[in-house]
Amino acid sequence: MEDAGPRLAFPLKRRDRTDRPEPSADPEAMAVALEATGRYRVLRQLQPRPIAAWPEAGAPGAGIAVILDTETTGLDARRDEVIELGMVAVTYDAHGIGVVVDVYSELREPGVPISAEITRITGISQDMVAGRSIDPQAVAAFVARADLVVAHNATFDRPFCERLAPGFDTLRWACSVAEVDWTARGYEGAKLGYLVGQSGWFHQGHRAVDDCHALLEVLARPRRPSETPPFLDLLAAASRRRCRIWAEGSPFHTKDLLKARGYRWNDGTDGRAKSWWVEVEEAAFETELAFLRTEIFRAAIDPPIRWMDATERFRIG
């Protein structure tokens, strides 16, 4: 027989379960203890805020913002359809977001089948939306008391919403992707999942109302004590004019220069001439005009422009 090797002179003592330290009954205390070591980061599940009473009409400093998200059958608002709409109405003032006063969440069966790719992205299947609808008048009533709509890609959401229900076309819109400098605030990107995770939470992403609750918390709280809430960046942006400038007739060889500067191509489907265009803050208008005159056209041209406030921004065309 083979030698089984040296034997222990004394048996190993099995550690009794009673020797283990009792875990804390408070999960938050355990999370804090882990974070205090400097070797762990703990993500907390994001919990929706409770719904409070609406402020009295005309109450000072009681603005109403609607944080909104849509899930759709595709990316083209002229062809694709909304399959889910989520909205969270909140109060706000000059210091930031206050309380949640209403929540709306509804699915809608589209006129075309939901593709497997859309189901993979959104988690919404054809069975889930069967027989479901969104009442345009109910949506209009929900946003009627609001003076600001916030979306985490307003260029995408606004056209879909305007085709879905009345009332969105006269409201001020703000975009938490385009109008908050997340990099300067210490985030690694502007995707909602990044913002939520780097703020210390996790949530069920890509369902409309869950994304609204998540965006609310990210906007309501600064990541660093020395900063103001990101929501105030949106308020400031909503108070300023912007200018859309079309570089109509720009020489073909300048297209890369225009694209590198942030210009986008208009394909003419909105009735305007095919051309490159850009949108700039009012303070940057003269600089952009000088760029077109000296770098693109090399002439004292006056390109077509359109001044816009927050009620006109993020529309198609």
Side-chain angles (χ1 to χ4, degrees):
M1 296 180 60
E2 294 184 4
D3 187 356
R7 297 184 179 183
L8 295 174
F10 52 87
L12 285 173
K13 180 181 179 181
R14 179 175 295 176
R15 185 175 183 182
D16 189 74
R17 292 179 63 88
T18 59
D19 293 338
R20 298 177 184 175
E22 287 293 327
S24 170
D26 182 1
E28 181 61 24
M30 291 190 287
V32 171
L34 284 172
E35 291 173 327
T37 67
R39 292 178 292 159
Y40 300 91
R41 291 181 181 176
V42 180
L43 297 183
R44 291 159 174 83
Q45 186 178 34
L46 193 148
Q47 299 294 327
R49 298 187 184 191
I51 299 176
W54 281 85
E56 295 183 7
I64 301 293
V66 168
I67 299 173
L68 171 152
D69 186 47
T70 61
E71 302 296 346
T72 68
T73 59
L75 303 177
D76 188 346
R78 292 166 290 198
R79 179 187 60 183
D80 296 308
E81 301 179 52
V82 173
I83 55 176
E84 185 177 36
L85 174 65
M87 296 186 289
V88 175
V90 299
T91 62
Y92 73 88
D93 59 20
H95 302 290
I97 291 174
V99 297
V100 172
V101 292
D102 210 350
V103 174
Y104 179 96
S105 179
E106 188 56 81
L107 292 163
R108 174 181 178 274
E109 183 176 11
V112 296
I114 298 175
S115 70
E117 178 66 8
I118 292 300
T119 296
R120 184 189 67 80
I121 293 171
T122 67
I124 300 173
S125 66
Q126 195 69 39
D127 290 343
M128 292 171 60
V129 301
R132 304 289 291 269
S133 64
I134 294 175
D135 180 358
Q137 296 308 316
V139 174
F142 188 95
V143 302
R145 291 184 63 177
D147 54 78
L148 180 68
V149 178
V150 175
H152 200 60
N153 187 354
T155 302
F156 176 84
D157 290 302
R158 178 168 185 167
F160 278 103
C161 289
E162 289 193 4
R163 286 161 173 76
L164 181 68
F168 288 109
D169 57 334
T170 58
L171 288 169
R172 296 187 303 159
W173 282 74
C175 179
S176 50
V177 170
E179 296 179 313
V180 177
D181 189 344
W182 296 109
T183 301
R185 288 179 172 272
Y187 291 89
E188 295 177 6
K191 288 186 177 181
L192 184 57
Y194 293 160
L195 302 178
V196 173
Q198 290 173 30
S199 296
W201 299 299
F202 68 93
H203 80 300
Q204 182 180 351
H206 293 299
R207 291 304 304 274
V209 78
D210 296 316
D211 282 352
C212 292
H213 287 296
L215 180 58
L216 159 61
E217 298 305 334
V218 171
L219 291 173
R221 309 180 192 185
R223 190 179 184 194
R224 296 179 287 223
S226 61
E227 295 177 336
T228 59
F231 180 75
L232 297 187
D233 293 357
L234 300 183
L235 279 186
S239 69
R240 299 190 295 263
R241 291 197 309 164
R242 292 177 68 90
C243 185
R244 188 168 292 184
I245 308 171
W246 285 270
E248 290 186 6
S250 58
F252 180 79
H253 70 271
T254 64
K255 64 181 179 63
D256 291 337
L257 186 58
L258 289 164
K259 188 175 181 180
R261 195 173 173 88
Y263 280 72
R264 290 185 278 177
W265 177 250
N266 180 54
D267 61 8
T269 55
D270 61 352
R272 295 197 62 91
K274 294 181 179 181
S275 67
W276 293 93
W277 64 274
V278 74
E279 193 175 298
V280 298
E281 295 276 0
E282 186 169 4
F285 171 70
E286 292 297 337
T287 299
E288 201 61 36
L289 188 59
F291 162 76
L292 289 176
R293 288 173 172 174
T294 59
E295 302 294 329
I296 302 301
F297 293 96
R298 300 187 182 277
I301 52 94
D302 289 309
I305 63 172
R306 177 186 171 194
W307 288 100
M308 299 176 295
D309 61 18
T311 64
E312 300 172 289
R313 296 201 60 207
F314 308 114
R315 285 176 171 161
I316 292 177

